[in-house]
Each structure stands twice: as C-alpha cells, then as structure tokens.
Amino acid sequence: AGHTPLPPAPTLGVREKEAEERRARPSVTADGCEIEGCSSSDEVRTLSGSMSPGLKPSQDLHPCKPGHKLSAALLRCRSPAAAAGILTFGNVLNYMDRYTVVGKRRFSCLSVVVYGVFCVGCGVFICSFMVAAPIFGYLGDRFNRKVILSCGIFFWSIVTLSSSFISREYYWLFVLSRGLVGIGESSYSSISPTIIGDLFTNNSRTMMLSVFYLAIPLGSGLGYILGSSAKVAAGDWHWALRVSPVLGLTAGSLILLFVPEPKRGSADQMGGRIKTRTSWFCDMKALAKNRSYMFSSLASAAVSFATGAFGIWIPSYLTRAQEVQKIEVCPKSEICSSTDSLIFGAITCVTGLLGVLIGAATTRLCRQKTKRADPLVCAVSMLGSAIFICLIFVVAKKSIIGAYVCIFIGETLLFLNWAITADILMFVVIPTRRATAVAFQSFTSHLLGDAGSPYLIGLISDGLQQSYATSTLWKFLSLGYALMLCPFIIVLGGMFFLATALFFLDDREKAEKQ
C-alpha cells in the first residue's frame, strides 16, 4: 500500500509481436552494413565466424560496400542444397580417378589371372582404401569433417598428378602411389554422406543421397571413357591422370568455402543434440548388435562383388563373344579394340543414373504403403537383376546387342539400391556413429566384394580354360561360366535385404529413442 503499482506483465500476444519485430530488424555487420537474407536466422554466419543476435542495428546504417556484397553472396551460397551439390561433384571426381587406370588398360590376350592382378582397382588401391576407411570413420565422428574431406581430396589429387610423370621403369612406384590415392579417397567416401545426413531428413535426405550416389556410375563411366580415349586424344595415356587432379583441387577449395559443418543429429530432431560420445569400442559393439545395419552391409558387399567383377571382365567377355561370332579377331600379338570398354562405360553411366533415380522415386511411393519400403525395394530389385544378368551369358554367344540389352536392364536394377542402402544406415544408426558405420560398411563391401571378385573370377576362368587352352570357343565359355557366380551372389544379397526388412522398424525405433 502506498507504492506505485508495477506495470502488468506483457501478454503472450505482446511477446510474440515483440519477437516478430526483432526478427524483422535488418541483420548488421560489425560496421553497420545491412546484409539481406540473414534477418530470419538467430545467428548470422560468415566465412570468418558468427555474430551474436543480441547486437542491435546502429542508427547510422549505410549501404553495403562491394566487399560486403561479396560476403553476403558467399553467405547465401552456403545453403544445404549447394553443399550437397559440391559434395556430389567431389564424389564424381573420386570415382572418375578410381576407374581411369582400369579404363586405360585395353584387353590383351594374356592370362586372365595376370590381367586381374594387374588391375589396380582390385589390388593395392582397394586394399589401402578399405584399411584406411575405419580410421577416417573414427576421425569423422569426432573432429571437423569438412577439414578432413578437404585434406583428403587435396592429398589424392596431388598424388595422382605426381604419378602421371612416373616412367615405366618405376612401375612399383606407380603401384605405391595408387595405394596412397586409396587412402585419400577413403576419407571422402567415409565422411561425406554423413554431412548430407545431418543437413537433410526423411524424403529430402533420400533425394539428396540419390543425387550424391549418382556420382558413382557417372564418375565410373567417365573414368572408363577418359582412360580409354586419353592415348588416342593426347598420344599418351598419362594425360588421363592429369585431368581429375585439377578438378579435385577445385572441389577441395569449394568444400572449405561453401560446405558447412552441421551439428551431428541437427536434422533428425529440432533442437536435439547428443551430448555424450561413446568410445570406438562401444560404437563397434553397438553396430555389431544392429541387425539391420549388419544385414544391409552384407547385401552391399554382394553388390560390390558383382560390380567389381563386371567392371573388369564384362568388356573382355564381350570381346571374346565377338571372336566366337567372327565379328572381330584378336591376334595374341596385338591389343584388342577398346570399343567394348567405351560402350560398357557409357552403359554404366546411363544405367547408374536411371537406377538411382528410379530407386529414389520407387522408395518414396512405397513408403506410403509400408514403413519397410527401403529394404523391400532393394530386395526386389536385386532378385530381378539376377535374372537379367543370367540372360547375358545365354544370349552373348548369338547376339552382342542382346547382351548389351540384358546388361542395361540388369545393371539398372542392381544400381537401384545404392542410395537406399545409405538411407537405411541413416535411419538405424545414431548421428555420432554414422561415419564409423559408413566406413565399416565400406570396409566390409570391399573386403567381401570387389577386392577379391576380379581375381576370383580370373582364377576360375583360368582353371576351366586349362583343358582347352587353344580353343577360342572354350576361352569364351570359361569366362562366362566364371562370371555366372555373380548372379548367385546377387540373389544372396537380395536375401540379406529381406532379412533387413524383418528388423528395420525395431532398429529404427531404437535409434530414434537414443
């Protein structure tokens, strides 16, 4: 009594109005320059750091200077969509460099085992790639991911460019350089999908991962084409190793400038953050108990087994088919035409693009019918792929065009599951373990897949060919019989995806609760 009464507390509507007015105020840099497009966020992020939202606009606002306009333009370029595009560009270069060396080798009439061992893609490169992947998975879950990505892409670009100047007398040094390239590229493959997983969620994440994995067929096909045509265009196949490094250095710079480092799990739950991080041993123990993750990783290894064997041996198989049909003759003293490598590279590009796009669209539609759509779509596509891949070896003896048609349909169905497999991993693994999970899945895929499949196919073919070493027909049939192992492995992969479907919902729910 006798005191001046306090003013009434603002109502909820008044508070909301004041909040709207604060958001409507223009964002300002330290010297009072307005930056358009930043007023809706709580924090203005720039290339050099961030500005607290508590700063009030000064009374002497002045127009932006040219340097400030450039900063504002760079700020707007750091959108999630732009980041996904840059990461996809880097992935294209990743796979283009990987298959350039394989594509430049034209099939010669040597022992198929010797040829299989020679191909760096199934030798030193793959071994170093899969050994380094778990290391980068550990680092990617604990340190700044875009810095690791940039260092990795700079490293393999410089090593690849340097290897193009190695002469034939130092072939062992070239093999060593491919091993170093595998280490650099493993950092990119292990970490980059996790950044996309933290920038998008649900159907948006499926679409962006699909775009990201379009780089596998596109880059692989471009690598085949570049490796096969470099000698014809430049007179020296070493020039094939001087194209991707320049583009790789550009991609590394773009990652440093425009790709953000999102908080792990920020896209999965609004405002959510995992405040504790478990040890690597606990992470591996949790992944081993994750049935959906383990079965989908085994299915991914089946896909890798088939694609690795096909990438090395299908062009050779079609060349032998032409010899049987008397379309083309390959004397032992000459190198066969690289036309089949070019055609197969083009088919790989197109089927990969179609497969990933069809897989994303099909999954999006099937999710409206069942929550188990992701693994079921993968299972059906792999079982269908096995049928058409079997038909390749039936029709190749009579029709090369028919074989190409079967390859086209079979690869399209096989490539449907690339992006979907990555999306399954994002659903069933918590964000702080995703880099480790991607790396371990890559390790498993290479160890059980393309690290040994080309050599195994060559070994079986050589064993079958010993009885009739001089027969052109048996030379063709022996390689076909060896490649028939691939459809059986693909069917096994389809079974693994069906097993994934059984546990998918339970594992997804556990990840969401964690």
Side-chain angles (χ1 to χ4, degrees):
H3 292 283
T4 304
L6 295 173
T11 62
L12 183 60
V14 174
R15 291 175 180 172
E16 292 178 349
K17 185 176 181 180
E18 291 176 352
E20 289 292 335
E21 290 176 353
R22 283 197 301 270
R23 284 194 292 268
R25 293 169 184 164
S27 299
V28 199
T29 58
D31 61 352
C33 172
E34 291 184 44
I35 300 180
E36 297 178 2
C38 303
S39 59
S40 61
S41 60
D42 293 332
E43 187 177 60
V44 179
R45 294 190 177 275
T46 65
L47 295 176
S48 59
S50 59
M51 186 189 74
S52 171
L55 292 176
K56 299 287 184 70
S58 62
Q59 300 299 322
D60 55 341
L61 295 178
H62 55 82
C64 287
K65 298 176 182 179
H68 295 140
K69 291 183 178 179
L70 177 60
S71 298
L74 292 176
L75 186 65
R76 288 192 292 269
C77 289
R78 297 187 68 181
S79 65
I86 294 171
L87 292 174
T88 301
F89 173 61
N91 208 27
V92 170
L93 300 178
N94 196 358
Y95 280 88
M96 186 171 77
D97 179 82
R98 188 178 305 183
Y99 284 93
T100 296
V101 176
V102 180
K104 71 97 182 172
R105 279 292 295 177
R106 298 175 181 179
F107 174 73
S108 59
C109 298
L110 300 173
S111 165
V112 286
V113 174
V114 173
Y115 179 73
V117 173
F118 171 83
C119 294
V120 183
C122 62
V124 177
F125 175 89
I126 293 297
C127 291
S128 62
F129 183 97
M130 66 182 187
V131 169
I135 299 174
F136 286 110
Y138 175 86
L139 298 175
D141 279 333
R142 289 159 178 81
F143 301 99
N144 190 299
R145 289 172 289 184
K146 77 171 189 174
V147 172
I148 299 175
L149 284 182
S150 300
C151 292
I153 200 168
F154 285 144
F155 179 75
W156 71 252
S157 297
I158 293 172
V159 172
T160 299
L161 183 61
S162 302
S163 68
S164 67
F165 298 99
I166 298 175
S167 61
R168 183 179 300 179
E169 290 76 14
Y170 296 95
Y171 177 71
W172 63 269
L173 188 59
F174 180 82
V175 173
L176 177 62
S177 71
R178 295 311 293 175
L180 295 176
V181 170
I183 294 174
E185 292 188 9
S186 67
S187 66
Y188 197 90
S189 298
S190 301
I191 297 174
S192 49
T194 66
I195 295 181
I196 296 178
D198 285 332
L199 291 174
F200 303 93
T201 187
N202 295 329
N203 286 332
S204 297
R205 184 168 63 194
T206 303
M207 182 178 67
M208 289 303 174
L209 284 174
S210 299
V211 173
F212 178 79
Y213 282 103
L214 286 175
I216 297 180
L218 182 60
S220 302
L222 290 175
Y224 269 101
I225 295 171
L226 179 63
S228 298
S229 57
K231 183 175 179 61
V232 177
D236 184 3
W237 69 267
H238 289 91
W239 280 98
L241 299 175
R242 297 167 188 169
V243 176
S244 58
V246 176
L247 298 176
L249 295 174
T250 304
S253 302
L254 292 175
I255 290 172
L256 281 177
L257 289 174
F258 299 115
V259 174
E261 173 63 15
K263 294 178 181 178
R264 291 166 177 85
S266 58
D268 296 272
Q269 205 169 17
M270 294 300 293
R273 186 187 305 177
I274 300 176
K275 298 182 179 180
T276 59
R277 178 173 283 114
T278 56
S279 65
W280 183 83
F281 178 78
C282 292
D283 289 343
M284 295 303 299
K285 185 177 179 181
L287 291 176
K289 292 181 178 180
N290 192 323
R291 294 166 294 185
S292 297
Y293 170 75
M294 294 301 295
F295 280 124
S296 62
S297 297
L298 291 174
S300 179
V303 176
S304 180
F305 184 97
T307 54
F310 273 27
I312 298 298
W313 293 118
I314 282 294
S316 305
Y317 179 73
L318 295 177
T319 300
R320 297 184 183 190
Q322 294 177 35
E323 294 177 24
V324 172
Q325 298 177 33
K326 308 299 183 182
I327 298 175
E328 183 177 340
V329 179
C330 178
K332 292 186 178 181
S333 58
E334 298 181 9
I335 296 178
C336 298
S337 172
S338 61
T339 303
D340 293 308
S341 292
L342 291 171
I343 296 175
F344 182 74
I347 289 177
T348 301
C349 284
V350 176
T351 56
L353 295 172
L354 286 177
V356 173
L357 292 176
I358 294 172
T362 304
T363 305
R364 192 167 185 171
L365 291 175
C366 292
R367 280 176 182 169
Q368 301 174 6
K369 304 293 184 182
T370 174
K371 294 182 179 180
R372 304 179 192 269
D374 295 62
L376 289 177
V377 169
C378 292
V380 172
S381 67
M382 288 196 70
L383 295 176
S385 173
I387 297 174
F388 285 95
I389 289 177
C390 281
L391 291 176
I392 295 173
F393 312 112
V394 176
V395 302
K397 184 178 178 181
K398 299 293 183 182
S399 173
I400 297 297
I401 296 177
Y404 277 129
V405 171
C406 293
I407 291 172
F408 188 92
I409 300 175
E411 283 196 337
T412 301
L413 293 172
L414 188 63
F415 296 157
L416 245 68
N417 58 67
W418 268 342
I420 306 174
T421 304
D423 213 18
I424 292 173
L425 185 149
M426 299 296 170
F427 278 123
V428 301
V429 178
I430 62 175
T432 54
R433 291 183 184 137
R434 283 177 181 167
T436 300
V438 172
F440 184 71
Q441 189 174 81
S442 177
F443 175 85
T444 305
S445 297
H446 289 304
L447 180 65
L448 303 179
D450 56 355
S453 63
Y455 177 80
L456 179 61
I457 297 300
L459 187 66
I460 295 173
S461 178
D462 252 14
L464 294 173
Q465 191 181 331
Q466 286 180 353
S467 301
Y468 305 94
T470 59
S471 172
T472 301
L473 176 60
W474 187 245
K475 185 179 174 182
F476 160 73
L477 292 176
S478 63
L479 183 55
Y481 292 151
L483 285 169
M484 279 293 291
L485 179 63
C486 293
F488 292 100
I489 298 296
I490 292 173
V491 171
L492 184 61
M495 297 297 104
F496 285 134
F497 273 126
L498 288 177
T500 303
L502 294 176
F503 306 107
F504 179 66
L505 295 183
D506 290 339
D507 293 332
R508 179 176 176 176
E509 184 179 357
K510 289 179 183 177
E512 289 174 350
K513 288 181 178 179
Q514 290 178 351

